[in-house]
Amino acid sequence: MGFKEDIAKIFREARKRAGLTQAEVAKKAGIHFNYYARIERSEVAPRGDIINSIAKALGIKIKFPLED
């Protein structure tokens, strides 16, 4: 798996655990719903500031780098 796939899986699982919709996460993170959906589908790799905003919205912490 690459970075996009890793971050998508982390966010998707955290969102489901939190019982939130993609739209709710996007609103809390201050980003457009379509952009968040593309992140979860591994279509885009978000910038660090966006990752931090989403993580905060989900109540999780992301440690970098996401490598083995």
Side-chain angles (χ1 to χ4, degrees):
M1 262 202 240
F3 174 77
K4 290 189 295 186
E5 293 81 11
D6 289 342
I7 202 73
K9 182 178 178 184
I10 290 166
F11 286 159
R12 188 172 43 254
E13 290 176 359
R15 177 181 60 78
K16 288 179 180 180
R17 277 195 311 272
L20 298 170
T21 66
Q22 288 180 340
E24 290 169 330
V25 173
K27 184 175 181 177
K28 285 183 168 195
I31 61 174
H32 195 276
F33 159 75
N34 289 335
Y35 183 58
Y36 180 75
R38 291 183 67 211
I39 293 169
E40 275 203 14
R41 289 192 306 265
S42 305
E43 293 177 0
V44 295
R47 299 184 322 245
D49 61 327
I50 300 295
I51 291 171
N52 288 330
S53 295
I54 295 169
K56 185 176 179 182
L58 291 168
I60 62 172
K61 292 187 180 194
I62 302 288
K63 293 184 181 181
F64 293 94
L66 293 176
E67 298 176 1
D68 292 330

